[in-house]
Amino acid sequence: QANAADSLQLAACQRCSRKPFSHPSAVDPRIGEVLLGSMAPADDDGSEDFSANVGDSLVVLPLRNQVIFPAIRGSFELPKKVFEDVCDHLERTGASAIGVVASRRSAKKISSADLYEVGTLCRMVSHAAAGGDGEQAASGRVRVVVEGRSRFRVLKYTQEEPLRLASVELLEEKGDAEGPDQDVAVRALSHSIREKMAEMLRGNQQDNGKGSGSSRRQFRWPSSPSALAGLVGATLAQLTVEERQKLLEAPTTRARLEIALDFLQRETEAKRMSSEISSSIQKSRELELRQVVLQRQIQEVQKDLQRLQNKAHRGTDGEASEGGGADLEDGEDEAEDEVARLADCLARARLPEDAERVAKRELRRLKSLQPHHPEYTSIHTYLELLASLPWAQSSEDRFDLKEAKAMLDEDHKGLHQVKKRLLEFLAVQKMRGDMKGPILCLHGPPGIGKTSLGRSVARALGRKFHRIALGGVKDEAELRGHRRTYIGSMSGSIIQALQALGTNNPVILLDEVDKMAANSMFNPQATLLEVLDPEQNGSFKDHYLNTPFDLSRALFICTANDSSQIDRPLLDRMEVIELSGYTLEEKASITESHLLPKQRRLHALEPEKPEVDAQQTGDAGEVAHMEAMHVQEPRLVLTPEAVSSLITKWTSESGVRSLERRLAQICRWASLRIQGLDVPHNASAGDAERQAALSSCGPNQKGIVVVDVQHLPHIIGAELFEPDIAERLVVGVAMGLSVSSVGGQLLFIEATRTRGGGRLTITGQLGKVMTESVETALSLLRSRFVRSSRTSGSGASAAVGDVSSVPAGSEVLSLLYSKRAPGDAENSSDSAADRDPFKGEDIHVHFPAGGIPKDGPSAGVAVLLALASVLLDKPMRSDTAVTGEVTLRGHVLPVGGIRDKVLAAHRAGVKHVLLPLANKRQVLEDIPAKTLEGIQVHYMKHVDEALDWAFGRLGIGEAEAAALGQQDLAPGLPAAAAAAAVSAAVARARPGYAGIGFFPGRGR
């Protein structure tokens, strides 16, 4: 040791009145390297009264992560100041013993409450500066070696600072001599412990490569059973402080021996299991190493054979051939390494049986080819595809329905029926445990969120998402892949999507499935029959892959705008979910919560939210400052009235795409306005008038621009759509309702008559179904008119009761016939053909926008009303739109698309809608109550009810007209009361009249 350390040790020993001891060798706590001889109790050194002067002032030193047992030596470090205080106290009191007690926790500062109650009375054997020579010797710490003598229990602590002093009682050993049976048990336990420890010692020595023949004579077993138990506690390194303390606190020797034997048995079993695991791993490594060596040897042999074959082919071509030999051999080495890499990737891919057989065959072909061979690249690319496909890789599903509902509500406003159906689908799949089931097809107009719905489903399931655009796809090879016989062949889009995602259970969205091109030569929709059939897609065979791949775990969602363009067999394999357009309130909510903030951020009119991590910044003030900087008002504000006006007057769609473009136009104008530049929307706009109108927009002192209703025409131009378009109906025009691929629309039907030979002309690019509807309506109207004319022709001889038997619509036509020509009423002998109003006249029915094909069974009632308007020479009610199909008997049949049609009428400002009575359930379930507050829905079962509602004021008495006028003049009058008033007035004017046939809508 260094001189400084020697001086410190000598001074400390003089203070303790002891001779200096030499520092013992370090004791390794592992069993195989413990020097048991050094742990035997030392001689008493003439100190028989070692524990006589313990008294009430025993110095107690806390130990962290350490327990010292009687008859066992141990060491620990003390600060130099504490060591000097301990020596001073021992010298002052004449004591020679100190106490050590383990701590329950290894904190920097230990209190008396943290110490166990039982500790060990020790004698200091030696001490030295901690760390030995150099800088560590000057660290101010002293390593003390002590030897345990006996156990004690702390009664109370009498002093805490500067040294912890305690009043203790010594614990005597019990059970060493309590009868012959107890002595036999102790000896048996001691023998078992020695055998277990000897076994462990032999195992450790064999592991370290040492012989075990003469090792046992190096150790001297303790003669005391209690010391033997302490030896176990001191040498087993895996024991915790709690377990060592449990061994120390055992009341009797037998109890300590039993605890020690239990620890030894547990350690022996753990060592045995570890040895078995190590042996198994070693054998596995040896097998793998042997396989690698053999494969390398085979490759070397194949390389030598290949070189001999190349030399035989080259022959004796001279020095030029020999000069390029080295480069050729290097290329061959790289090719062989690449083949080995592909083989390893294929082995890890866990291919199914069919694919593995194909891969092995192609791999053998690749090994036999040279890199410059034409087929080498083709086979190499094919094997890379096989190795990269997710044959057995799946992502973990997350079927949290509450979270899925929250995600759908967050991403989409409205669409309640669709969300309900998607949540039902997820719930069923959660109970099934897999994703096999019906293929969903989201059918609806563009711009309502079909693609984002698929993305939300993927996010709710915790799966990866991929979108495949099918619009314009005309070749099945784009979906199924090209055959490998073609140059430049590749796999189809389905396999490419799975390869890119890396999982075999993603959510794949087949977008615009109705826009796939088809002709007489090919039909790509037929390719989807196998992909979208749960019974067949378990063995989907791509042309390029040419081996079955399981698609049954993937969830396919299709989107379409027009289901009539989808092949019937393909449509039968999908479950179609109808998506209707958004209401005015839903569009306003989407604008406020999503569209407007998005456009403001894109145009720098709203700050992006910074991602601040308080742990990274480390300064709470800086974080608060950054958050305060973010809390800023947007620099563009649209009033709610401006949003509603923008939706109704500048857009007319089921979705929100046009609305988003209008918002972007306003944001661009606001950016110019904030920069102090104002460009008029068109050159003809009056600058002075425009500036006066926009003067209230701002920007204000905070730089905020506020846009209201009166500012919109000067920002984005004149109104494109007039909500009161229904006020422009004239004679021969009826307002119908239709549904197309872009949502619900108003359908104006025009009819006129000219002199001719009774020919019917239909224009507007109609389909066969719609053409038949026009012919049916004309035949029905003609039959009703002739029957009405017969009733009117009876003159005064007809009784009032006979008139009541005729429906209301026929009464209107009957009155028209009586006024049709002077003297016609007296010519009762005329035939029915002579009384036909269509005789000698041609009828022309036209559907505007002839460039757009139209077809569908829902225009019959509207056509009939247009023809009746021509015959009556009066316009129908201009605030009413109608939909429904008629039969020759006059019955009104139900139609589809009710929600879209009602929303289209609401957007156009229509006040009344006539619907078939059979569609009442769809109105109650699908249309929001707020929409019905602005529009009245009437239900009809027979066409006469529609005629009565559309032309009820014509040819009736003054009392009826006054009642109908009273309904219009008093808008606050409830609908039921108004209907009762009208019916009463008509009944007074015409006894036996059945009343107006309409039913108030929900909420009216």
Side-chain angles (χ1 to χ4, degrees), residues 310-322:
N310 292 335
K311 289 181 181 180
H313 287 302
R314 288 196 301 267
T316 56
D317 293 338
E319 297 180 357
S321 141
E322 296 177 358

Side-chain angles (χ1 to χ4, degrees), residues 666-951:
I666 296 175
C667 290
R668 292 192 297 269
W669 171 85
S671 299
L672 285 175
R673 185 83 174 178
I674 293 173
Q675 298 299 324
L677 183 63
D678 191 7
V679 180
H681 183 71
N682 52 65
S684 61
D687 187 66
E689 180 183 356
R690 184 174 183 276
Q691 292 296 334
L694 296 178
S695 59
S696 59
C697 283
N700 55 19
Q701 296 179 353
K702 297 182 179 180
I704 300 176
V705 176
V706 180
V707 177
D708 208 345
V709 177
Q710 65 272 17
H711 304 141
L712 292 177
H714 302 283
I715 297 175
I716 57 178
E719 300 175 3
L720 300 180
F721 305 96
E722 299 181 11
D724 57 348
I725 191 173
E727 300 294 335
R728 292 191 263 175
L729 293 186
V730 295
V731 175
V733 179
M735 192 189 318
L737 295 171
S738 65
V739 176
S740 65
S741 61
V742 296
Q745 293 177 334
L746 293 181
L747 179 64
F748 291 93
I749 302 173
E750 303 173 352
T752 185
R753 61 180 179 175
T754 58
R755 289 187 177 275
R759 185 180 62 178
L760 174 64
T761 304
I762 305 173
T763 57
Q765 198 177 351
L766 305 184
K768 185 177 180 180
V769 176
M770 217 164 188
T771 302
E772 293 176 352
S773 296
V774 176
E775 296 172 351
T776 303
L778 182 59
S779 300
L780 173 63
L781 188 61
R782 177 180 288 146
S783 65
R784 306 297 288 176
F785 190 92
V786 171
R787 183 167 42 166
S788 300
S789 64
R790 288 176 179 174
T791 306
S792 298
S794 60
S797 61
V800 175
D802 296 335
V803 176
S804 65
S805 64
V806 182
S810 297
E811 290 184 16
V812 173
L813 299 180
S814 175
L815 292 174
L816 172 66
Y817 180 80
S818 65
K819 300 177 182 180
R820 184 166 173 263
D824 285 350
E826 290 78 6
N827 299 330
S828 58
S829 60
D830 293 345
S831 63
D834 295 335
R835 293 191 298 268
D836 189 352
F838 300 101
K839 182 180 180 181
E841 295 180 346
D842 292 341
I843 302 297
H844 186 179
V845 179
H846 176 65
F847 291 77
I852 302 175
K854 310 172 190 67
D855 199 8
S858 63
V861 178
V863 172
L864 187 141
L865 295 180
L867 294 173
S869 176
V870 172
L871 296 178
L872 296 173
D873 198 22
K874 291 291 183 179
M876 66 172 289
R877 292 188 58 159
S878 58
D879 60 350
T880 302
V882 62
T883 183
E885 190 58 89
V886 297
T887 66
L888 286 175
R889 294 178 297 169
H891 296 293
V892 181
L893 302 180
V895 295
I898 295 298
R899 175 185 168 93
D900 288 328
K901 292 177 179 179
V902 174
L903 292 180
H906 185 262
R907 289 195 299 266
V910 177
K911 301 300 182 183
H912 302 275
V913 175
L914 297 181
L915 299 178
L917 180 62
N919 290 119
K920 186 175 182 179
R921 181 177 180 181
Q922 284 82 358
V923 174
L924 298 177
E925 292 180 354
D926 298 340
I927 301 178
K930 290 186 178 180
T931 302
L932 294 177
E933 291 178 1
I935 193 170
Q936 243 184 336
V937 180
H938 310 280
Y939 302 98
M940 52 186 175
K941 189 176 181 180
H942 197 273
V943 70
D944 290 339
E945 298 171 359
L947 288 170
D948 180 65
W949 175 259
F951 308 104

Side-chain angles (χ1 to χ4, degrees), residues 591-609 629-637 667 671 674:
T591 302
E592 294 292 341
S593 62
H594 178 67
L595 297 181
L596 185 57
K598 174 185 175 182
Q599 292 299 325
R600 283 193 300 226
R601 288 192 294 269
L602 290 176
H603 294 84
L605 298 175
E606 182 177 331
E608 296 284 350
K609 185 176 180 180
M629 291 293 293
H630 169 67
V631 182
Q632 298 177 0
E633 296 184 12
R635 305 191 69 179
L636 172 63
V637 177
C667 290
S671 299
I674 293 173

